[in-house]
Amino acid sequence: IYLVPATLRPETMYGQTNCFVLPTGEYGAYYIDATDEVFIMSARSARGLSCQAFEGNTYFTKEFGKIECIETFSGDELLGLPLKAPNATYEKVYTLPLLSISMSKGTGVVTSVPSDAPDDYMALKTLKEKPDFAAKYGITPDMVDGFEVVPIIEIEGYGDASAVFMCEKLKIKSANDKAKLSQAKDETYLKGFTSGVMKVGPYTGQKVSDAKPKIKQEMIDAGQAHLYFEPESRVVSRTNDECVVAATDQWYLSYGEESWTSAVKKHILDEEKFNAYDP
């Protein structure tokens, strides 16, 4: 059984200190036929996964677009669970509350890397500094106090904990400083990818941009991760249905592709080869 966070940053998995869920979010335990596993995720992401290929022509589920939901529960039922996170420095991490999670993006489950993600850093910091707030969600001190920021990426001018650096630089005081956190996130993510150098793992010393695809593939090969796709923003069809990314037997033409447009134009403009009915 796996809680399956969606991430665009596999290279940061070494710095995981916990996992976040939305206390009021609705989650389900879904059976994955292709791997004989159970994934805990949002219903929206489970529907999307059921339309995607696991490997080759094999889909994650037996029937395209349909997935078996074994059980449903709210996010607060998942709080405080001990977890084993792939590539993490800590042997065991816990599921913690994050009130800013959007259930319409990703899987509703978020992995936490406070060294390089400002939102994660402030959320963990708040739970440590406000035990009454943590207790409200059943989070005990042992689930947060022993988990410190793990330096994983060195960025010139930002150090090896860019999220901490940016939060201090912008004087971010709480998770409610959304504008500043957004600014900090954009800057740390950009600098991390373009200028970051790995400090941990088998690719220590390599640029993040070079190590990222290698770590991603290694996790997939080890069965620690799977490819998952979704639109960058909400897409609604003419029938008012929310669209998903699906692996289907169809293809499209790119109208700006010169290699075929020039060949087509050459053909149809040749009167000896192409005749069109003109009333």
Side-chain angles (χ1 to χ4, degrees):
I1 299 176
Y2 297 89
L3 267 76
V4 285
T7 182
L8 296 172
R9 307 185 71 196
E11 74 281 3
T12 66
M13 296 301 94
Y14 301 102
Q16 295 176 92
T17 59
N18 60 275
C19 183
F20 288 123
V21 295
L22 181 67
T24 57
E26 295 182 0
Y27 297 85
Y30 296 90
Y31 182 67
I32 308 301
D33 297 284
T35 60
D36 192 26
E37 297 169 342
V38 174
F39 287 0
I40 296 176
M41 59 203 306
S42 65
R44 171 189 164 278
S45 57
R47 173 175 173 256
L49 193 69
S50 70
C51 298
Q52 296 174 21
F54 166 68
E55 188 176 45
N57 294 323
T58 302
Y59 287 86
F60 280 96
T61 56
K62 286 182 179 179
E63 188 174 352
F64 177 84
K66 293 187 178 181
I67 190 167
E68 179 186 355
C69 181
I70 300 171
E71 184 61 90
T72 59
F73 26 74
S74 60
D76 55 9
E77 295 179 80
L78 300 172
L79 294 173
L81 292 178
L83 308 170
K84 182 174 178 58
N87 288 350
T89 301
Y90 292 105
E91 183 67 24
K92 178 173 64 176
V93 299
Y94 291 91
T95 309
L96 305 178
L98 182 63
L99 306 185
S100 60
I101 289 177
S102 171
M103 297 300 288
S104 62
K105 186 176 183 180
T107 62
V109 181
V110 178
T111 189
S112 173
V113 184
S115 60
D116 292 79
D119 290 281
D120 297 350
Y121 172 67
M122 290 308 303
L124 181 60
K125 188 170 184 285
T126 298
L127 288 166
K128 286 185 176 185
E129 295 178 350
K130 297 183 177 180
D132 290 343
F133 173 74
K136 176 183 176 182
Y137 295 100
I139 304 303
T140 55
D142 62 294
M143 297 178 185
V144 293
D145 288 346
F147 296 89
E148 301 299 332
V149 169
V150 180
I152 56 172
I153 297 172
E154 181 76 36
I155 306 174
E156 185 176 356
Y158 294 75
D160 58 10
S162 58
V164 180
F165 173 83
M166 284 302 299
C167 286
E168 292 176 350
K169 176 184 176 181
L170 297 179
K171 295 181 172 58
I172 298 174
K173 301 299 182 182
S174 77
N176 294 322
D177 292 338
K178 299 187 183 303
K180 289 183 178 181
L181 280 170
S182 179
Q183 178 185 345
K185 175 183 176 180
D186 290 344
E187 189 168 333
T188 54
Y189 282 23
L190 177 62
K191 291 294 183 180
F193 181 74
T194 59
S195 306
V197 176
M198 298 299 300
K199 286 193 65 174
V200 297
Y203 302 106
T204 297
Q206 292 191 22
K207 293 184 63 175
V208 167
S209 55
D210 294 328
K212 184 189 188 89
K214 299 174 185 176
I215 297 171
K216 169 185 170 182
Q217 192 58 51
E218 282 188 356
M219 294 185 71
I220 292 173
D221 292 342
Q224 297 174 327
H226 297 295
L227 292 178
Y228 167 74
F229 303 90
E230 65 177 40
E232 289 188 13
S233 57
R234 190 167 185 260
V235 178
V236 178
S237 69
R238 295 177 182 177
T239 57
N240 206 34
D241 293 307
E242 184 174 354
C243 298
V244 300
V245 175
T248 58
D249 185 18
Q250 60 183 179
W251 50 271
Y252 299 90
L253 291 175
S254 176
Y255 285 97
E257 180 57 51
E258 292 186 9
S259 63
W260 75 266
T261 54
S262 59
V264 172
K265 287 178 180 177
K266 184 178 179 180
H267 175 72
I268 64 175
L269 293 176
D270 189 333
E271 294 182 357
E272 295 183 0
K273 295 181 179 179
F274 182 81
N275 292 310
Y277 175 70
D278 184 1

